[in-house]
Amino acid sequence: MAGSSAPLRRLGAELRRLREATGRTQADVGGAIGRTHATMVNWELGKTKISKSDLVCLLAELRAPTDVRKDLERLRDEINQTSGQWATYGLPDWLRPLFSFEQDATAVTTFEPTLIPGLLQTEDYARTIHIAGPHITAPPFVERWVAARMQRQQRLAGKNAIKVHALIAESALRLQVSGPTLMVAQLRKVLEVARRRNVTVQVVPAERGAHPAVHSNMTVLHFADARADPPLGYFDGPLGGYLISDPGDVASMISMLDDVRRVALAPHESTDMIAAILEEYQKKGGDDGGDVRDEVAQVQP
């Protein structure tokens, strides 16, 4: 399990490190402070929050140095400050951890075979696909989920902007969500975001055939300190999403994404294809009067 947030995972990793340094088991330490083995496991995996009093008792039992105790108590306070950030959006339990980890990540690589990646979606596109999937997004929650998606996109700009490498199947560009006008706006946004130095967009053309990730979407999150916060994987489907923390499984996902990147078009070729498909939508009735070629020129070096 990956845990429920990046700070909580870091706290759990530090508690595990301190315990292992003493040579004691989870059951032994848990018993000493009146907590079960299962509780200790959940704390160390970052699956559940630890109370302030339990943390004080645990650190005392592990004979943690004073400076370490203060650092971990501050980290716990940070968890309390950030844990409710996504609660107001009514997100399901399986989705909140992804959003939380994404806020702490420094880089993300994602492949989408069917849809435009969430970090690149327009509000109208996001709303339409949420409405189209009522089994995942109940109608009363659509607007809040769309707002959450727009909130996520704030990570694309600013001093600590996340680096994004988006691999998008041609089929996702050609899936006409709603109508040509919406798709013109959506593909214009992809071209706009692709201008950013921290964003790379590559298209996987249909003519390249099958590839290792053809069966599913997938995302890998990377963090500033790979030792304290190793990469996490994520994928979702009709019944929800799953965070992957097993090092071997995450390594396999990274390898598959590398394979997809190698069969994808180069970034400048990708923007050419996006622009060409955008022009097709314009001819179908989505013409907003803009010159796509000017936008492509701004993306390409």
Side-chain angles (χ1 to χ4, degrees):
M1 293 294 295
S4 59
S5 71
L8 196 56
R9 183 172 69 147
R10 282 200 300 273
L11 177 59
E14 285 301 310
L15 294 177
R16 183 175 64 251
R17 182 186 63 79
L18 287 171
R19 176 187 58 77
E20 290 176 346
T22 67
R24 300 170 66 184
T25 66
Q26 292 167 324
D28 177 35
V29 174
I33 64 171
R35 294 293 178 263
T36 66
H37 173 260
T39 297
M40 287 290 299
V41 171
N42 288 335
W43 285 345
E44 293 187 2
L45 289 176
K47 290 175 60 179
T48 57
K49 290 187 292 186
I50 183 171
S51 70
K52 184 174 182 178
S53 59
D54 278 335
L55 181 61
V56 170
C57 291
L58 179 58
L59 295 176
E61 180 66 26
L62 296 175
R63 301 181 183 276
T66 300
D67 58 337
V68 173
R69 296 188 194 191
K70 290 181 178 179
D71 286 343
L72 296 186
E73 288 172 1
R74 279 195 294 267
L75 183 55
R76 182 192 170 278
D77 292 339
E78 179 184 341
I79 294 167
N80 288 339
Q81 293 168 6
T82 60
S83 61
Q85 179 180 358
W86 299 105
T88 58
Y89 293 103
L91 300 173
D93 291 340
W94 56 264
L95 191 54
R96 278 199 296 265
L98 170 67
F99 284 19
S100 178
F101 280 112
E102 191 177 74
Q103 292 300 299
D104 207 58
T106 56
V108 57
T109 302
T110 186
F111 168 69
E112 278 289 352
T114 307
L115 299 172
I116 303 299
L119 288 171
L120 309 184
Q121 291 175 6
T122 65
E123 186 173 337
D124 285 341
Y125 183 99
R127 180 177 294 106
T128 302
I129 62 174
H130 281 314
I131 292 173
H135 298 289
I136 289 289
T137 315
F141 291 99
V142 168
E143 292 304 324
R144 283 196 277 175
W145 283 35
V146 171
R149 186 153 295 183
M150 297 303 104
Q151 175 69 24
R152 288 171 61 201
Q153 294 181 9
Q154 293 187 12
R155 283 296 325 273
L156 294 174
K159 184 173 64 174
N160 297 315
I162 191 171
K163 292 182 179 178
V164 175
H165 194 145
L167 300 157
I168 310 172
E170 180 182 348
S171 57
L173 304 174
R174 295 192 179 278
L175 178 66
Q176 187 170 309
V177 173
S178 183
T181 299
L182 186 150
M183 292 306 299
V184 165
Q186 176 57 75
L187 297 190
R188 281 192 181 279
K189 176 162 184 175
V190 174
L191 290 174
E192 174 191 341
V193 175
R195 296 178 198 151
R196 301 174 184 265
R197 292 186 176 182
N198 58 306
V199 177
T200 300
V201 174
Q202 287 185 266
V203 175
V204 184
E207 67 181 16
R208 298 288 170 91
H211 51 75
V214 71
H215 297 292
S216 175
N217 65 73
M218 63 180 65
T219 295
V220 173
L221 302 169
H222 298 270
F223 304 88
D225 186 344
R227 292 188 62 186
D229 288 317
L232 290 175
Y234 176 83
F235 67 92
D236 58 30
L239 299 180
Y242 306 89
L243 275 171
I244 308 298
S245 59
D246 178 81
D249 290 340
V250 175
S252 294
M253 294 179 76
I254 292 173
S255 178
M256 284 188 281
L257 287 168
D258 285 342
D259 288 340
V260 175
R261 177 177 51 79
R262 281 189 283 269
V263 301
L265 297 174
H268 70 278
E269 296 172 324
S270 297
T271 54
D272 283 343
M273 174 173 276
I274 295 169
I277 297 174
L278 195 162
E279 288 182 326
E280 292 176 18
Y281 283 122
Q282 287 179 323
K283 292 176 182 177
K284 292 179 181 179
D287 192 351
D288 59 1
D291 190 338
V292 177
R293 288 170 295 181
D294 290 341
E295 298 188 20
V296 173
Q298 294 181 56
V299 177
Q300 295 181 359

